[in-house]
Coordinates of all heavy atoms in Angstrom, one line a residue:
M55 N -28.5 9.4 -4.1 CA -28.4 10.8 -4.3 C -26.9 11.2 -4.3 O -26.1 10.7 -3.4 CB -29.1 11.5 -3.2 CG -29.1 13.0 -3.3 SD -30.2 13.7 -2.1 CE -29.5 15.3 -2.0
S56 N -26.5 12.0 -5.1 CA -25.1 12.5 -5.1 C -25.1 14.0 -4.9 O -26.1 14.7 -5.1 CB -24.4 12.1 -6.4 OG -25.0 12.8 -7.5
R57 N -24.0 14.5 -4.5 CA -23.9 16.0 -4.3 C -22.9 16.6 -5.2 O -22.1 17.4 -4.7 CB -23.6 16.2 -2.8 CG -24.6 15.7 -1.9 CD -24.4 16.2 -0.5 NE -25.5 15.7 0.3 CZ -26.4 16.5 0.9 NH1 -26.4 17.8 0.7 NH2 -27.3 16.0 1.6
Y58 N -22.9 16.3 -6.5 CA -22.0 16.9 -7.4 C -22.7 18.2 -7.9 O -23.9 18.3 -8.0 CB -21.8 16.0 -8.7 CG -21.0 14.8 -8.4 CD1 -21.6 13.5 -8.5 CD2 -19.7 14.9 -8.1 CE1 -20.9 12.4 -8.3 CE2 -18.9 13.7 -7.9 CZ -19.5 12.5 -8.0 OH -18.8 11.4 -7.7
S59 N -21.8 19.2 -8.2 CA -22.4 20.4 -8.8 C -22.8 20.1 -10.2 O -22.4 19.1 -10.8 CB -21.3 21.5 -8.8 OG -20.3 21.2 -9.7
R60 N -23.6 20.9 -10.8 CA -24.0 20.7 -12.2 C -22.9 20.6 -13.1 O -22.8 19.8 -14.0 CB -25.0 21.8 -12.6 CG -25.6 21.5 -13.9 CD -26.6 22.5 -14.4 NE -27.5 22.9 -13.3 CZ -28.1 24.1 -13.2 NH1 -28.0 25.0 -14.2 NH2 -28.9 24.4 -12.2
I61 N -21.9 21.6 -12.9 CA -20.7 21.6 -13.8 C -19.9 20.3 -13.7 O -19.5 19.7 -14.7 CB -19.9 22.8 -13.5 CG1 -20.6 24.1 -13.9 CG2 -18.6 22.8 -14.2 CD1 -20.0 25.4 -13.4
T62 N -19.7 19.9 -12.5 CA -18.9 18.6 -12.3 C -19.7 17.4 -12.9 O -19.1 16.6 -13.5 CB -18.7 18.4 -10.8 OG1 -17.9 19.5 -10.3 CG2 -17.9 17.1 -10.5
A63 N -21.0 17.4 -12.7 CA -21.8 16.3 -13.2 C -21.7 16.2 -14.7 O -21.5 15.2 -15.3 CB -23.2 16.4 -12.8
Y64 N -21.8 17.4 -15.4 CA -21.7 17.5 -16.8 C -20.3 17.0 -17.3 O -20.1 16.3 -18.3 CB -21.9 18.9 -17.4 CG -23.4 19.3 -17.3 CD1 -23.8 20.6 -17.1 CD2 -24.4 18.3 -17.5 CE1 -25.1 20.9 -17.1 CE2 -25.7 18.7 -17.5 CZ -26.1 20.0 -17.3 OH -27.4 20.4 -17.2
H65 N -19.2 17.4 -16.5 CA -17.9 17.0 -16.9 C -17.7 15.5 -16.8 O -17.2 14.9 -17.7 CB -16.9 17.7 -15.9 CG -15.5 17.2 -16.0 ND1 -14.7 17.4 -17.1 CD2 -14.8 16.3 -15.2 CE1 -13.5 16.8 -16.9 NE2 -13.6 16.1 -15.8
L66 N -18.3 14.9 -15.7 CA -18.2 13.5 -15.6 C -19.0 12.7 -16.7 O -18.5 11.7 -17.2 CB -18.7 13.0 -14.2 CG -17.9 13.5 -13.0 CD1 -18.6 13.2 -11.7 CD2 -16.5 12.9 -13.0
L67 N -20.1 13.2 -17.0 CA -20.9 12.6 -18.1 C -20.2 12.7 -19.4 O -20.1 11.7 -20.2 CB -22.3 13.3 -18.2 CG -23.2 13.0 -17.1 CD1 -24.5 13.9 -17.2 CD2 -23.6 11.5 -17.1
D68 N -19.6 13.9 -19.7 CA -18.8 14.0 -21.0 C -17.6 13.0 -21.0 O -17.4 12.4 -22.0 CB -18.3 15.4 -21.1 CG -19.4 16.4 -21.5 OD1 -20.5 16.0 -21.9 OD2 -19.2 17.6 -21.3
R69 N -16.9 13.0 -19.9 CA -15.8 12.1 -19.8 C -16.2 10.6 -20.0 O -15.6 9.9 -20.8 CB -15.1 12.2 -18.4 CG -13.8 11.4 -18.3 CD -13.3 11.4 -16.9 NE -14.3 10.6 -16.1 CZ -14.2 10.5 -14.8 NH1 -13.3 11.1 -14.1 NH2 -15.1 9.8 -14.1
D70 N -17.3 10.2 -19.4 CA -17.8 8.8 -19.5 C -18.3 8.6 -21.0 O -18.1 7.5 -21.5 CB -18.9 8.6 -18.6 CG -18.4 8.5 -17.1 OD1 -17.2 8.5 -16.9 OD2 -19.3 8.5 -16.2
R71 N -18.9 9.5 -21.6 CA -19.3 9.4 -23.0 C -18.1 9.1 -23.9 O -18.1 8.3 -24.8 CB -20.1 10.6 -23.5 CG -21.5 10.6 -23.0 CD -22.3 11.7 -23.6 NE -23.5 11.9 -22.9 CZ -23.9 13.0 -22.2 NH1 -23.0 14.0 -22.2 NH2 -25.0 13.1 -21.6
E72 N -17.0 9.9 -23.6 CA -15.8 9.7 -24.4 C -15.1 8.4 -24.2 O -14.6 7.8 -25.2 CB -14.7 10.8 -24.0 CG -15.1 12.2 -24.5 CD -14.1 13.2 -23.9 OE1 -13.0 12.9 -23.4 OE2 -14.4 14.4 -24.1
R73 N -15.1 7.9 -23.0 CA -14.5 6.6 -22.7 C -15.4 5.4 -23.1 O -14.8 4.3 -23.3 CB -14.2 6.5 -21.2 CG -13.1 7.4 -20.8 CD -12.8 7.2 -19.4 NE -11.8 8.1 -18.8 CZ -11.5 8.2 -17.6 NH1 -12.1 7.4 -16.7 NH2 -10.6 9.1 -17.2
G74 N -16.6 5.6 -23.2 CA -17.5 4.5 -23.5 C -17.6 3.5 -22.4 O -17.5 3.8 -21.2
L75 N -17.6 2.2 -22.7 CA -17.7 1.1 -21.7 C -16.5 1.1 -20.8 O -16.6 0.7 -19.6 CB -18.0 -0.2 -22.3 CG -19.3 -0.4 -23.0 CD1 -19.4 -1.8 -23.7 CD2 -20.4 -0.3 -22.0
A76 N -15.4 1.5 -21.2 CA -14.2 1.5 -20.4 C -14.4 2.4 -19.2 O -13.7 2.2 -18.1 CB -13.0 2.0 -21.2
A77 N -15.2 3.4 -19.2 CA -15.5 4.3 -18.1 C -16.1 3.5 -16.9 O -16.1 4.0 -15.8 CB -16.4 5.5 -18.5
L78 N -16.7 2.4 -17.2 CA -17.4 1.6 -16.2 C -16.5 0.7 -15.4 O -16.9 0.2 -14.4 CB -18.6 0.8 -16.8 CG -19.7 1.6 -17.5 CD1 -20.7 0.6 -18.1 CD2 -20.3 2.5 -16.5
R79 N -15.3 0.6 -15.9 CA -14.3 -0.3 -15.2 C -13.9 0.3 -13.9 O -13.9 1.5 -13.7 CB -13.1 -0.5 -16.1 CG -13.3 -1.3 -17.3 CD -12.0 -1.8 -17.9 NE -12.3 -2.5 -19.1 CZ -11.9 -2.1 -20.3 NH1 -11.2 -1.1 -20.4 NH2 -12.2 -2.8 -21.4
D80 N -13.5 -0.6 -13.0 CA -13.1 -0.2 -11.6 C -11.9 0.7 -11.6 O -11.8 1.7 -11.1 CB -13.0 -1.4 -10.8 CG -12.8 -1.1 -9.3 OD1 -12.6 0.1 -8.9 OD2 -13.0 -2.0 -8.5
G81 N -10.8 0.2 -12.2 CA -9.6 0.9 -12.3 C -8.6 0.7 -11.1 O -7.5 1.1 -11.2
R82 N -9.1 0.1 -10.0 CA -8.2 -0.1 -8.9 C -7.1 -1.1 -9.1 O -6.1 -1.1 -8.4 CB -9.0 -0.5 -7.6 CG -9.9 0.7 -7.1 CD -10.6 0.3 -5.9 NE -11.7 -0.6 -6.3 CZ -12.6 -1.1 -5.4 NH1 -12.5 -0.8 -4.2 NH2 -13.5 -1.9 -5.8
E83 N -7.3 -2.0 -10.1 CA -6.3 -3.0 -10.3 C -5.0 -2.3 -10.8 O -3.9 -2.9 -10.7 CB -6.7 -4.1 -11.3 CG -6.9 -3.6 -12.7 CD -8.2 -2.9 -13.1 OE1 -9.0 -2.8 -12.2 OE2 -8.3 -2.5 -14.2
K84 N -5.1 -1.1 -11.3 CA -3.9 -0.4 -11.8 C -3.2 0.3 -10.7 O -2.1 0.8 -10.9 CB -4.3 0.5 -12.9 CG -4.8 -0.2 -14.2 CD -5.2 0.8 -15.2 CE -5.8 0.1 -16.4 NZ -6.4 1.0 -17.4
N85 N -3.9 0.5 -9.6 CA -3.3 1.2 -8.5 C -2.5 0.3 -7.6 O -3.1 -0.5 -6.8 CB -4.4 1.9 -7.7 CG -3.9 2.8 -6.5 OD1 -2.7 2.8 -6.3 ND2 -4.8 3.4 -5.8
R86 N -1.2 0.3 -7.6 CA -0.4 -0.6 -6.8 C -0.3 -0.2 -5.4 O 0.2 -0.9 -4.5 CB 1.0 -0.7 -7.4 CG 0.9 -1.2 -8.9 CD 2.2 -1.4 -9.4 NE 2.5 -2.8 -9.0 CZ 3.6 -3.5 -9.3 NH1 4.5 -2.9 -10.1 NH2 3.8 -4.7 -8.9
G87 N -0.7 1.0 -5.0 CA -0.7 1.5 -3.7 C 0.7 2.0 -3.3 O 1.7 1.9 -4.1
A88 N 0.9 2.4 -2.1 CA 2.1 3.0 -1.6 C 3.1 1.8 -1.3 O 2.6 0.7 -0.9 CB 1.9 3.8 -0.4
P89 N 4.4 2.0 -1.4 CA 5.3 1.0 -1.0 C 5.2 0.7 0.5 O 4.9 1.7 1.2 CB 6.7 1.5 -1.4 CG 6.5 3.0 -1.6 CD 5.0 3.2 -1.9
T90 N 5.6 -0.5 0.9 CA 5.6 -0.7 2.4 C 6.7 0.1 3.0 O 7.7 0.4 2.4 CB 5.8 -2.2 2.6 OG1 7.0 -2.6 2.1 CG2 4.7 -3.1 2.0
L91 N 6.4 0.4 4.3 CA 7.4 1.2 5.0 C 8.5 0.3 5.6 O 9.6 0.8 5.8 CB 6.7 1.9 6.2 CG 5.7 2.9 5.8 CD1 5.0 3.5 7.0 CD2 6.3 4.0 5.0
L92 N 8.2 -1.0 5.8 CA 9.2 -1.9 6.3 C 9.6 -3.0 5.3 O 8.8 -3.4 4.5 CB 8.7 -2.6 7.5 CG 8.2 -1.8 8.7 CD1 7.6 -2.7 9.8 CD2 9.4 -1.0 9.3
T93 N 10.9 -3.3 5.3 CA 11.3 -4.4 4.4 C 10.7 -5.7 4.9 O 10.2 -5.8 6.0 CB 12.8 -4.5 4.4 OG1 13.3 -4.9 5.7 CG2 13.5 -3.2 3.9
A94 N 10.8 -6.8 4.1 CA 10.3 -8.1 4.6 C 11.0 -8.6 5.8 O 10.4 -9.1 6.7 CB 10.5 -9.1 3.4
E95 N 12.3 -8.3 5.9 CA 13.1 -8.7 7.1 C 12.6 -7.9 8.3 O 12.5 -8.5 9.4 CB 14.6 -8.4 6.9 CG 15.5 -8.8 8.1 CD 16.9 -8.5 7.8 OE1 17.4 -8.8 6.7 OE2 17.5 -7.9 8.7
E96 N 12.4 -6.6 8.1 CA 11.9 -5.8 9.3 C 10.5 -6.2 9.7 O 10.2 -6.2 10.9 CB 11.9 -4.3 8.9 CG 13.3 -3.7 8.7 CD 13.3 -2.3 8.1 OE1 12.4 -2.0 7.3 OE2 14.2 -1.5 8.4
Q97 N 9.7 -6.6 8.8 CA 8.4 -7.1 9.1 C 8.5 -8.3 10.0 O 7.7 -8.5 10.9 CB 7.5 -7.3 7.9 CG 7.1 -6.1 7.1 CD 6.4 -6.4 5.8 OE1 5.9 -7.4 5.6 NE2 6.4 -5.4 4.9
Q98 N 9.4 -9.2 9.6 CA 9.6 -10.5 10.4 C 10.1 -10.2 11.8 O 9.6 -10.8 12.7 CB 10.5 -11.4 9.6 CG 10.0 -12.0 8.4 CD 8.9 -13.0 8.7 OE1 8.9 -13.7 9.7 NE2 7.9 -13.0 7.8
R99 N 11.0 -9.2 11.9 CA 11.5 -8.9 13.2 C 10.5 -8.2 14.1 O 10.4 -8.5 15.3 CB 12.7 -7.9 13.0 CG 14.0 -8.6 12.6 CD 15.3 -7.8 12.6 NE 15.2 -6.5 13.2 CZ 15.5 -5.3 12.6 NH1 15.8 -5.3 11.3 NH2 15.4 -4.2 13.3
L100 N 9.7 -7.4 13.5 CA 8.6 -6.7 14.2 C 7.5 -7.8 14.7 O 7.1 -7.7 15.8 CB 7.9 -5.6 13.4 CG 6.7 -4.9 14.0 CD1 7.1 -4.3 15.3 CD2 6.1 -3.9 13.0
S101 N 7.2 -8.7 13.8 CA 6.2 -9.7 14.1 C 6.8 -10.6 15.3 O 6.0 -10.9 16.2 CB 6.0 -10.6 12.9 OG 5.1 -11.7 13.2
A102 N 8.0 -10.9 15.2 CA 8.6 -11.7 16.3 C 8.6 -10.9 17.6 O 8.3 -11.5 18.7 CB 10.0 -12.1 16.0
Q103 N 8.9 -9.6 17.6 CA 8.9 -8.8 18.8 C 7.4 -8.7 19.3 O 7.3 -8.8 20.5 CB 9.4 -7.4 18.4 CG 9.5 -6.5 19.6 CD 10.5 -6.9 20.6 OE1 11.7 -7.1 20.2 NE2 10.2 -7.1 21.9
I104 N 6.5 -8.5 18.5 CA 5.1 -8.4 18.9 C 4.7 -9.7 19.6 O 4.0 -9.7 20.7 CB 4.1 -8.1 17.8 CG1 4.4 -6.7 17.3 CG2 2.7 -8.3 18.2 CD1 3.7 -6.3 16.0
H105 N 5.0 -10.9 19.0 CA 4.7 -12.2 19.7 C 5.4 -12.3 21.0 O 4.8 -12.8 22.0 CB 5.1 -13.3 18.7 CG 4.1 -13.5 17.6 ND1 2.9 -14.0 17.7 CD2 4.3 -13.2 16.3 CE1 2.3 -14.0 16.5 NE2 3.1 -13.5 15.6
Q106 N 6.6 -11.9 21.1 CA 7.4 -12.0 22.3 C 6.8 -11.1 23.4 O 6.6 -11.6 24.5 CB 8.9 -11.6 22.1 CG 9.7 -11.7 23.3 CD 11.2 -11.3 23.0 OE1 11.5 -10.9 21.9 NE2 12.0 -11.3 24.0
D107 N 6.4 -9.9 23.0 CA 5.8 -9.0 24.0 C 4.5 -9.6 24.4 O 4.1 -9.5 25.6 CB 5.6 -7.6 23.3 CG 6.9 -6.9 23.1 OD1 7.9 -7.3 23.6 OD2 6.8 -5.9 22.4
F108 N 3.7 -10.1 23.5 CA 2.4 -10.7 23.9 C 2.5 -11.8 24.9 O 1.7 -11.9 25.9 CB 1.6 -11.1 22.6 CG 0.3 -11.7 22.9 CD1 -0.8 -10.8 23.2 CD2 0.0 -13.0 22.9 CE1 -2.0 -11.3 23.4 CE2 -1.2 -13.5 23.2 CZ -2.3 -12.7 23.4
E109 N 3.5 -12.6 24.7 CA 3.7 -13.8 25.6 C 4.1 -13.3 27.0 O 3.9 -13.9 28.0 CB 4.7 -14.7 25.0 CG 4.2 -15.5 23.9 CD 5.2 -16.5 23.3 OE1 6.4 -16.5 23.8 OE2 4.9 -17.2 22.3
Q110 N 4.7 -12.1 27.1 CA 5.1 -11.5 28.4 C 3.9 -10.6 28.9 O 4.1 -9.9 29.9 CB 6.3 -10.6 28.2 CG 7.5 -11.4 27.8 CD 8.8 -10.6 27.6 OE1 8.7 -9.3 27.7 NE2 9.9 -11.2 27.2
G111 N 2.8 -10.6 28.3 CA 1.6 -9.9 28.8 C 1.6 -8.4 28.3 O 0.7 -7.6 28.8
M112 N 2.4 -8.0 27.4 CA 2.4 -6.7 26.8 C 1.6 -6.6 25.6 O 1.7 -7.5 24.7 CB 3.8 -6.2 26.6 CG 4.7 -6.2 27.9 SD 6.5 -5.9 27.6 CE 6.5 -4.6 26.4
V113 N 0.8 -5.6 25.4 CA 0.0 -5.4 24.2 C 0.6 -4.2 23.4 O 0.9 -3.2 24.0 CB -1.4 -5.1 24.6 CG1 -2.3 -4.9 23.3 CG2 -2.0 -6.3 25.4
G114 N 0.8 -4.4 22.1 CA 1.4 -3.3 21.3 C 0.5 -2.1 21.3 O -0.7 -2.2 21.2
E115 N 1.1 -0.9 21.3 CA 0.4 0.3 21.2 C 0.9 1.0 19.9 O 2.0 0.8 19.5 CB 0.8 1.2 22.4 CG 0.3 0.7 23.7 CD 0.9 1.5 24.9 OE1 1.8 2.3 24.6 OE2 0.4 1.4 26.0
G116 N 0.0 1.8 19.4 CA 0.3 2.5 18.1 C 1.6 3.3 18.2 O 2.4 3.2 17.3
K117 N 1.7 4.1 19.2 CA 2.9 5.0 19.3 C 4.2 4.1 19.5 O 5.2 4.5 18.9 CB 2.8 5.9 20.5 CG 1.8 7.0 20.3 CD 1.7 7.9 21.6 CE 0.6 9.0 21.3 NZ 0.6 9.9 22.5
R118 N 4.1 3.1 20.2 CA 5.3 2.2 20.4 C 5.6 1.5 19.1 O 6.8 1.4 18.8 CB 5.0 1.2 21.5 CG 6.1 0.3 21.9 CD 5.9 -0.4 23.2 NE 6.9 -1.5 23.3 CZ 6.6 -2.7 23.0 NH1 5.5 -3.1 22.7 NH2 7.6 -3.6 23.1
L119 N 4.6 1.1 18.4 CA 4.9 0.5 17.1 C 5.5 1.5 16.1 O 6.4 1.1 15.3 CB 3.7 -0.2 16.5 CG 3.1 -1.4 17.3 CD1 1.8 -1.9 16.7 CD2 4.2 -2.5 17.2
Q120 N 5.0 2.7 16.1 CA 5.6 3.7 15.2 C 7.0 4.0 15.5 O 7.8 4.3 14.6 CB 4.8 5.0 15.3 CG 3.4 4.9 14.7 CD 2.6 6.2 14.9 OE1 2.9 7.0 15.8 NE2 1.6 6.4 14.0
A121 N 7.4 3.9 16.8 CA 8.8 4.2 17.2 C 9.7 3.0 17.0 O 10.9 3.2 17.1 CB 8.8 4.6 18.7
W122 N 9.1 1.9 16.7 CA 9.9 0.6 16.6 C 10.9 0.8 15.4 O 10.5 1.2 14.4 CB 9.0 -0.6 16.4 CG 9.8 -1.9 16.4 CD1 10.2 -2.6 17.4 CD2 10.3 -2.5 15.2 NE1 10.9 -3.7 17.0 CE2 10.9 -3.7 15.6 CE3 10.2 -2.3 13.8 CZ2 11.5 -4.6 14.7 CZ3 10.8 -3.1 13.0 CH2 11.4 -4.3 13.4
T123 N 12.1 0.3 15.7 CA 13.1 0.3 14.6 C 13.9 -0.9 14.7 O 14.1 -1.5 15.6 CB 14.0 1.6 14.6 OG1 14.6 1.7 15.9 CG2 13.3 2.8 14.2

């Protein structure tokens, strides 16, 4: 069951009829996603810091990781 309004459903059906079989494709392969926030070097440094903290008995917290630079 879907909860589309009748107008939206008609719009989607019309769009799919225009596209034909191409409308059935997933399309996510074209979505590259957002760029990473950290460079590869920064990711390596953060990973090393997390491992070092873990060995000292510290567990990473979301707020602490967000503040990491």
Side-chain angles (χ1 to χ4, degrees):
M55 180 173 159
S56 66
R57 296 191 180 248
Y58 291 113
S59 70
R60 186 179 317 158
I61 293 171
T62 300
Y64 287 148
H65 171 73
L66 294 172
L67 288 170
D68 288 341
R69 185 189 67 186
D70 290 350
R71 283 188 192 114
E72 288 175 11
R73 292 183 184 173
L75 291 176
L78 299 176
R79 290 194 184 117
D80 189 347
R82 287 182 289 183
E83 72 276 357
K84 294 178 185 174
N85 183 356
R86 302 188 83 174
T90 61
L91 298 175
L92 302 175
T93 66
E95 180 183 316
E96 291 171 327
Q97 290 176 20
Q98 290 293 325
R99 286 189 8 239
L100 177 58
S101 178
Q103 183 68 53
I104 290 171
H105 286 286
Q106 181 181 2
D107 290 349
F108 182 76
E109 288 179 1
Q110 294 176 2
M112 298 168 47
V113 178
E115 298 172 341
K117 288 182 182 181
R118 187 165 164 258
L119 291 174
Q120 286 177 340
W122 183 85
T123 52

